[in-house]
Amino acid sequence: MTLVDLEDLRAAQRRIAGTAVRTPLLPCPWAADGGRRLWLKPESLQPTGAFKIRGAMNRLAALTAEERARGVVAQSSGNHAQAVAYAARRLGVKAVIVMPDTSPAVKIENTRAFGAEVVVVTAEERDTVPAELAAAHGYVWVPPYDDPYVIAGQGTVGLEIAEDAPDELDTVLVPVSGGGLISGTAAALKLACPGVRVVGVEPELAADARQSLREGVRTAWPVADTYRTIADGLRTPSVGVLPFEHLTAYVDDIVTVSEDEIRATVALLARRGRLVAEPSGAVAPAAYFHRAGELGGRVFAAVVSGGNLDPALLAELLAA
């Protein structure tokens, strides 16, 4: 199975220019503890509120004219949904998005606002209905992570970190769900600055990727288990086939964080970092604040992968 390379990553960088924002690497002096320092990569600043616009735009921009005329279908709990809808609107492509009924209302509303047709299904149907729609209507399927174009698009996060990072950067923390973001980011970092460690971060309640990486076998968790976490963007029951190959090749380790630690980090990022992060987006920095003993390292960058959360939930977490 072919892994993405620097040529793929740089081609993606050119395709998404003008659509995805080149987010800054923010120093966080308030997070220094005397022995460690932290930079944040705020993908919450993207026009759709999450990193997913990178992979979605790279995939759609590579469609042929015939494929664009057919339209696309995708499945997502929210961030990939919004990204595909936004990219499709920019390119004049019809988009149908399948979303589980557990998706936050704000993500469903935003996806519709970007012009997509939204089909709401049960969590168990999320991964089967898109194939049925593609077969019935001829839509091109745009997977959320198990696709080389999507992986390369997400990997532009890693290219930007490599370009902006201080010379002493030694560890990059990346959230893990289906594995597209960490696959592309890890590939970019290992190919562009191979001395940097890449560590994935998952909720304890959805730690299928950690189990898979440590056992060397791609493992799935039941949907009923992964849907317990507040980090709705990280509830995928297993990493993709192609992402697992990238994890095996490029990722140094995966650690987990608890639900209380995720909640506390959402509030901390809002108060001290002045960043709105959804629970999924707070998972990577949560490892910096709560898993120092497992990480080692002195100079960190953590990806804040998204900021699409219900205002009521933000208010609840800030009041806790």
Side-chain angles (χ1 to χ4, degrees):
M1 193 170 293
T2 303
L3 305 183
V4 301
D5 58 23
L6 277 177
E7 183 178 343
D8 298 323
L9 292 158
R10 288 173 177 147
Q13 202 168 40
R14 293 190 293 271
R15 287 193 194 97
I16 71 173
T19 299
V21 172
R22 191 188 192 288
T23 55
L25 198 60
L26 299 176
C28 301
W30 52 271
D33 62 5
R36 301 183 307 151
R37 288 179 288 154
L38 174 68
W39 274 258
L40 294 175
K41 179 72 168 169
E43 287 295 290
S44 51
L45 302 181
Q46 291 294 346
T48 59
F51 74 95
K52 290 282 191 176
I53 187 59
R54 297 173 181 268
M57 188 64 189
N58 192 46
R59 183 67 191 90
L60 266 64
L63 293 174
T64 66
E66 183 272 336
E67 288 172 328
R68 292 189 188 194
R70 287 159 52 192
V72 299
V73 64
Q75 78 268 37
S76 168
S77 62
N79 287 336
H80 181 61
Q82 293 170 83
V84 172
Y86 183 81
R89 186 173 71 176
R90 286 183 65 88
L91 295 171
V93 175
K94 174 182 173 65
V96 178
I97 312 295
V98 177
M99 303 184 71
D101 53 16
T102 53
S103 301
V106 65
K107 294 185 177 182
I108 295 176
E109 293 164 6
N110 289 347
T111 303
R112 288 194 174 116
F114 287 134
E117 176 186 338
V118 175
V119 179
V120 179
V121 300
T122 65
E124 291 75 14
E125 295 174 306
R126 184 180 81 164
D127 293 331
T128 58
V129 171
E132 296 168 3
L133 292 173
H137 302 284
Y139 301 138
V140 177
W141 179 44
V142 181
Y145 46 83
D146 213 342
D147 179 275
Y149 286 98
V150 172
I151 289 172
Q154 320 303 27
T156 58
V157 169
L159 284 183
E160 292 172 11
I161 292 174
E163 292 163 358
D164 296 346
D167 291 341
E168 62 270 31
L169 180 73
D170 57 46
T171 307
V172 176
L173 305 172
V174 187
V176 187
S177 181
L181 175 61
I182 193 168
S183 293
T185 298
L189 289 165
K190 292 297 187 178
L191 295 171
C193 44
V196 172
R197 296 179 70 245
V198 179
V199 178
V201 188
E202 284 186 299
E204 290 177 350
L205 298 182
D208 57 278
R210 182 178 69 164
Q211 180 180 346
S212 298
L213 182 64
R214 293 187 176 183
E215 295 181 356
V217 179
R218 182 170 162 266
T219 303
W221 280 29
V223 168
D225 288 351
T226 63
Y227 270 65
R228 295 173 298 166
T229 180
I230 192 175
D232 62 277
L234 306 183
R235 291 171 175 166
T236 304
S238 68
V239 297
V241 175
L242 185 55
F244 181 64
E245 297 298 321
H246 286 77
L247 262 67
T248 302
Y250 295 127
V251 174
D252 294 284
D253 196 9
I254 297 177
V255 300
T256 64
V257 289
S258 72
E259 296 297 292
D260 286 344
E261 290 162 353
I262 296 169
R263 289 170 174 269
T265 303
V266 171
L268 179 64
L269 292 175
R271 293 191 183 106
R272 300 299 308 277
R274 297 164 296 282
L275 288 174
V276 174
E278 62 189 275
S280 302
V283 164
Y288 173 86
F289 293 112
H290 299 284
R291 290 291 184 267
E294 296 178 50
L295 295 174
R298 293 177 57 83
V299 182
F300 291 79
V303 179
V304 179
S305 56
N308 293 312
L309 80 166
D310 188 283
L313 176 59
L314 177 60
E316 173 191 329
L317 296 179
L318 285 172

